[in-house]
Amino acid sequence: MPQLPAPRLRRTVVVALALLATGTATGLTPGQALAVAAIAKTADTARTATTTETGEAVHAADAADAVDAVDAMESMDAVHAADMRQDFNGDGYEDVAIGAPDATVGGAAKAGYVAVLYGAPEGFGAGKKVFSQVSPGVPGTPEANDRFGASLATADLDDDGYTDLVVESAGERWESGGTPRSGNRTVLWGGPSGFASGKVLPADGNSAHQAGRTVSGDFDGDGHQDLVHRTRVAFGPLDRAGVPARDQHITPVEGDMLLAAMAAGDPNGDGITDLVTVARGYDPDDEGDYGHQLHLLRGTGEGLAAPRTLRNAQGHPVQPVGDVSAVALGDVDGDGRDDIVTGGETLTVLPGTSGGPAVPDPRVITQNSPGVPGTQEAGDGFGRGLAIDDVDGDGYDDILAGVPLEDFSGLTGAGTFAVVPGAAQGPTGAGTRVISQITAGVPGTAESSDRFGERVALVDSDADGRSEPVVAAVGEDGDAGAVWVFRASSTGVPTSGSFSFGAQALGTVKAGAALGSSLTS
């Protein structure tokens, strides 16, 4: 799921209905009102998805969510529960940002830019805009190797009802506090017309190295969005100088291990965002295994707790199978709590429970699992691109897993992606669909080294309660990169109506841009 953890569709419908029933939805911005109305339209589907064998229409946990939402409606915080997850212009339709960090801008190689696709009633299509350090209101100057757009994060940081975008410039050289720095982050402030201004965020600590991915969530449960970057939590709201309300120093992993990946979500369903980190050894063993582990930093009223290693019933650290390059959280079994999924070589699924992640017997899904097309082969990168959300609107989140190094039809590293359905007992692989550029209805031509599926996202651009796959082929046309947008339906992901675009559609320099190196979801 997504970097900005939001209530799942089923929970959000309950909140929306509560808002409408109590009259508290009045006075919202047009985008917020549209979001509530669009979510409410999915109520019948949500009720069906949450019906239990005993005939309950809504889980007790969901009823509690609704009560909590109504109780909190006197503040703007409760409106956020009904907001779209990443709506930069506040029109009620989700948008997506796409990084091209290696693009030439203003003659500077690898200066980088970010492209934004705006949602609309008909979904993604005509609304595209490019932001770089030459754009009005965006601070900085494009310079060689800045790599603006290396990673992206979304959150409403200033509590104005519009989603903001945090853009990493991985190679930016600058100075702060008298210390030369490498890498920084710029927040582009959302507004009625999208991004009109931005601010370089203050440096985190005294380190010269400031690059690194940012993750967002409400880590202290106060209704304001916060940011985790490296070893610091910046608690919202942020002012327009980028200064947080307060901050916290954290240790992302337990013991002497390297932070390999992280994601935010709510595996215990208490309404406070937790942080899940993937840790690995600094050196591989004789078999080349780095010994990946999963660590949990639980969100509390004070912020993130110290990391603890997730262990199985025998007391041993849970180790995802194979190489791990991605982690995401989403409610793949529809119980109202986020589940943890790792990807990179296989998919490892750890269900969430009221006590946190349940880890006695993690489920492993490979390309050899029943119902998954294809054959498990070393180096395919199954789940290297990873996103979780509800594609078909059945109340269970689905797993979108990129397989960017998949070989087929005599091609090497052409790439595919898989949609693994969620279910009441969690995903098993049954019903998985795999799509590539040779699938009927998909535009383009599969070529070696395209790396189709290197990055993936799920975004509900038309506010119908189903999230559409956005898939990047970073190696397309000699590392120029390109992006594909698919539709979502009650039966999954049709290929009809899908489209792709690259530098030409954006009016940018094509050569070596690596469009799609980062996506928001």
Side-chain angles (χ1 to χ4, degrees):
M1 193 80 167
Q3 292 179 344
L4 176 57
R8 297 290 165 215
L9 174 62
R10 179 166 44 77
R11 290 172 143 194
T12 309
V13 169
V14 175
V15 174
L17 291 174
L19 298 178
L20 293 172
T22 61
T24 50
T26 60
L28 304 182
T29 67
Q32 291 162 347
L34 179 57
V36 171
I39 293 166
K41 287 198 303 183
T42 64
D44 290 339
T45 300
R47 288 195 184 98
T48 300
T50 56
T51 299
T52 65
E53 292 180 358
T54 61
E56 288 181 343
V58 181
H59 287 302
D62 295 324
D65 289 339
V67 171
D68 290 343
V70 173
D71 288 344
M73 273 308 295
E74 291 182 359
S75 71
M76 196 56 196
D77 299 338
V79 176
H80 294 166
D83 273 346
M84 307 309 287
R85 198 168 56 241
Q86 49 187 49
D87 184 3
F88 304 131
N89 59 2
D91 64 356
Y93 301 97
E94 288 188 15
D95 313 313
V96 66
I98 303 157
D102 292 343
T104 297
V105 177
K110 298 182 184 292
Y113 67 80
V114 174
V116 173
L117 270 66
Y118 292 102
E122 65 277 10
F124 290 129
K128 303 182 184 72
K129 192 169 183 179
V130 172
F131 297 89
S132 72
Q133 290 174 303
V134 300
S135 299
V138 178
T141 302
E143 300 165 312
N145 300 310
D146 277 352
R147 304 200 71 240
F148 183 82
S151 71
L152 305 168
T154 58
D156 181 6
L157 297 175
D158 56 357
D159 281 354
D160 66 351
Y162 299 95
T163 306
D164 309 308
L165 180 67
V166 179
V167 183
E168 179 195 1
S169 298
E172 181 79 41
R173 301 288 178 174
W174 61 304
E175 185 174 300
S176 173
T179 301
R181 315 279 186 164
S182 174
N184 69 10
R185 296 173 302 150
T186 299
V187 57
L188 302 181
W189 304 106
S193 300
F195 304 127
S197 64
K199 177 65 180 178
V200 175
L201 293 177
D204 280 348
N206 297 321
S207 174
H209 302 287
Q210 294 288 312
R213 185 181 173 217
T214 298
V215 171
S216 62
D218 183 5
F219 301 108
D220 59 359
D222 67 351
H224 305 294
Q225 289 295 309
D226 316 313
L227 298 177
V228 172
H229 177 245
R230 297 168 60 86
T231 60
R232 177 175 176 257
V233 185
F235 291 99
L238 275 64
D239 64 23
R240 285 300 179 103
V243 178
R246 63 185 182 95
D247 58 16
Q248 175 192 13
H249 178 81
I250 62 169
T251 302
V253 298
E254 188 177 45
D256 186 20
M257 301 191 77
L258 178 69
L259 175 64
M262 62 180 177
D266 187 11
N268 62 0
D270 67 353
I272 304 177
T273 309
D274 307 314
L275 185 69
V276 175
T277 60
V278 178
R280 71 167 177 83
Y282 283 89
D283 300 301
D285 60 21
D286 293 341
E287 286 74 38
D289 185 2
Y290 282 93
H292 293 85
Q293 297 180 5
L294 290 172
H295 296 174
L296 175 71
L297 288 75
R298 183 169 178 173
T300 74
E302 302 301 318
L304 289 174
R308 65 177 179 88
T309 302
L310 298 182
R311 299 179 181 275
N312 61 20
Q314 292 72 43
H316 302 304
V318 172
Q319 295 190 337
V321 176
D323 183 46
V324 179
S325 56
V327 59
L329 284 86
D331 186 7
V332 295
D333 56 9
D335 68 351
R337 304 179 183 95
D338 283 340
D339 312 299
I340 301 171
V341 180
T342 65
E345 187 174 333
T346 68
L347 301 180
T348 300
V349 183
L350 288 74
T353 70
S354 59
V359 294
D361 187 22
R363 178 173 295 167
V364 177
I365 301 173
T366 76
Q367 291 174 289
N368 289 336
S369 297
V372 180
T375 302
Q376 184 74 17
E377 298 169 313
D380 281 351
F382 186 46
R384 185 164 163 174
L386 192 62
I388 305 176
D389 213 334
D390 191 351
V391 172
D392 53 11
D394 66 352
Y396 303 101
D397 283 349
D398 310 301
I399 302 171
L400 178 59
V403 196
L405 302 178
E406 181 75 59
D407 303 337
F408 56 86
S409 301
L411 303 173
T412 302
T416 66
F417 72 87
V419 182
V420 184
Q425 302 304 315
T428 63
T432 295
R433 186 177 186 200
V434 173
I435 296 174
S436 73
Q437 288 188 71
I438 66 171
T439 303
V442 178
T445 302
E447 300 166 311
S448 291
S449 301
D450 275 352
R451 294 174 12 235
F452 182 73
E454 179 80 17
R455 295 288 181 268
V456 298
L458 286 167
V459 185
D460 185 5
S461 65
D462 56 2
D464 69 349
R466 297 186 288 260
S467 292
E468 301 89 52
V470 180
V471 179
V474 179
E476 180 80 12
D477 292 340
D479 294 329
V483 175
W484 278 252
V485 178
F486 292 84
R487 296 171 55 229
S489 74
S490 59
T491 57
V493 180
T495 56
S496 60
S498 59
F499 67 92
S500 65
F501 66 92
Q504 183 175 357
L506 299 173
T508 58
V509 176
K510 176 179 179 179
L515 177 65
S517 292
S518 57
L519 297 172
T520 58
S521 183

